[in-house]
């Protein structure tokens, strides 16, 4: 019996059949998940769904862009390696959103993105940063607590000094600011109040903020954050900066999930030594994005992917 005959016989003997047409759609294994919609289309799944619901399916969908994604997966023109210096690297799914975002970013440049998940505690040894010499970019993601932070700061320093493209997200931005305060501004004990009392808290707990026209206050011991959750917050982008060029907008709105903010009182001094504050809250109090202008790609933001 031919494959089409077997398919028809199986469909007719199935207890669940669509009115007017016994229908069975094969779901064969494919080499990449991005081939699945095309495979279903080739088997007529979308046409049968449209016919069942009485929808117009006379015109073929344009799948050129989707097929382009599959070509990028199967036939990339090159490969780049991104080091993710994090605290939860033993849990592969902890950075799943970052992995997918970087993979999708590769589609646009037709390159395969390889991830190198590095435990940040490794970089607390002076010689360990050498393992970053062969990567094309360094990403320091979000996190909580003091463990592994010195390793993250060392990774940020390596990226800055060796001109390796760098991106810090949320906690990663805080580490980038601490690194700049220590090594560019010369404040050796610059730190975050999250890690304990410090004379130079360039990152501190947000205990006061504006909500509408009123100032809301929370105790420093509060267990929840001012900007922790699904809410998006606006940021004004500074013209002439890299982030303004990327977004091509003056104002953006992104999701946040953190309790600590970069201390704006250090903004002017940090800018004098080369750290540019390219995104600020509408009231100019909360730093949202920082970058280094003369670096091939060094940016960090307070927002976080979800």
């Amino acid at each position: 019996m031919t494959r089409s005959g077997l398919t028809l016989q199986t469909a007719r003997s199935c207890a669940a059949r669509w009115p007017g047409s016994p229908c069975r759609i094969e779901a064969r294994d494919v080499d990449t998940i991005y081939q699945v919609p095309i495979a279903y289309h080739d088997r007529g799944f979308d046409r049968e769904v449209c016919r069942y619901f009485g929808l117009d399916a006379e015109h073929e969908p344009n799948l050129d862009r989707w097929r382009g994604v599959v070509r990028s997966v199967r036939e990339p023109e090159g490969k780049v390696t991104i080091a993710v210096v994090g605290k939860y690297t033993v849990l592969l799914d902890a950075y799943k959103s970052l992995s997918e975002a970087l993979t999708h970013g590769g589609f646009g440049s037709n390159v395969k993105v390889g991830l190198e998940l590095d435990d940040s505690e490794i970089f607390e040894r002076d010689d360990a940063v050498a393992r970053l010499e062969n990567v094309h970019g360094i990403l320091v993601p979000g996190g909580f607590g003091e463990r592994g932070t010195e390793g993250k700061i060392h990774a940020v320093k390596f990226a800055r000094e060796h001109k390796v493209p760098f991106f810090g997200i949320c906690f990663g931005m805080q580490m980038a600011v601490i690194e700049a305060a220590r090594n560019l501004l010369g404040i050796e004990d610059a730190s975050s109040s999250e890690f304990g009392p410090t004379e130079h808290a360039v990152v501190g707990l947000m205990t006061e903020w504006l909500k509408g026209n009123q100032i809301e206050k929370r105790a420093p011991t509060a267990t929840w954050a001012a900007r922790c959750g699904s809410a998006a917050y606006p940021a004004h982008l500074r013209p002439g900066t890299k982030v303004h060029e990327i977004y091509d907008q003056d104002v953006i709105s992104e999701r946040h999930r953190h309790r600590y903010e970069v201390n704006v009182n250090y903004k002017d001094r940090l800018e004098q030594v080369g750290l540019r504050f390219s995104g600020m809250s509408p009231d100019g109090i909360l730093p949202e994005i920082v970058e280094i202008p003369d670096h091939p790609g060094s940016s960090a933001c307070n927002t976080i992917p979800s």
Side-chain angles (χ1 to χ4, degrees), residues 90-245:
V90 295
L91 303 172
L92 297 182
D93 284 349
Y95 300 117
K96 183 62 174 176
S97 61
L98 297 180
S99 172
E100 290 300 306
L102 291 168
T103 297
H104 284 221
F107 295 160
S109 300
N110 198 26
V111 296
K112 180 179 180 180
V113 179
L115 294 188
E116 190 176 283
L117 297 177
D118 293 318
D119 189 329
S120 59
E121 289 186 276
I122 293 175
F123 298 105
E124 294 180 0
R125 301 195 307 266
D126 291 337
D127 59 338
V129 290
R131 65 188 298 163
L132 297 173
E133 290 178 352
N134 297 320
V135 302
H136 298 92
I138 298 172
L139 189 151
V140 176
F144 299 92
E146 187 176 8
R147 181 183 65 82
T149 56
E150 291 301 319
K152 289 192 174 192
I153 292 171
H154 288 169
V156 174
K157 180 182 179 182
F158 180 91
R160 178 178 58 80
E161 293 182 340
H162 292 77
K163 304 292 185 181
V164 179
F166 163 80
F167 187 45
I169 297 175
C170 192
F171 195 74
M173 172 181 168
Q174 297 171 15
M175 298 302 99
V177 173
I178 292 174
E179 190 279 326
R182 289 182 182 180
N183 300 307
L184 294 179
L185 198 55
I187 305 176
E188 295 182 359
D189 59 344
S191 188
S192 168
S193 61
E194 180 180 2
F195 312 147
T198 175
E199 183 178 350
H200 293 285
V202 295
V203 176
L205 182 66
M206 187 178 179
T207 56
E208 182 174 296
W209 67 97
L210 289 175
K211 184 178 182 181
N213 294 321
Q214 295 182 336
I215 295 180
E216 296 282 323
K217 292 185 178 181
R218 294 291 183 272
T221 55
T223 57
W224 56 276
R227 300 206 289 174
C228 186
S230 59
Y233 291 84
H236 287 231
L237 304 184
R238 186 171 172 178
T241 59
K242 294 175 184 177
V243 69
H244 189 278
E245 179 183 352

Side-chain angles (χ1 to χ4, degrees), residues 12 14 24 46 65 73 82-83 95 112 115 143 149 151 160 165 167 197 211 227 229 231 236 244 251 281 295 298:
R12 284 175 173 167
C14 183
R24 175 180 176 272
D46 46 0
R65 293 184 64 185
V73 174
I82 305 298
Y95 300 117
K112 180 179 180 180
L115 294 188
T149 56
R160 178 178 58 80
F167 187 45
K211 184 178 182 181
R227 300 206 289 174
H236 287 231
H244 189 278
V251 182
S281 61
H295 194 282
S298 180

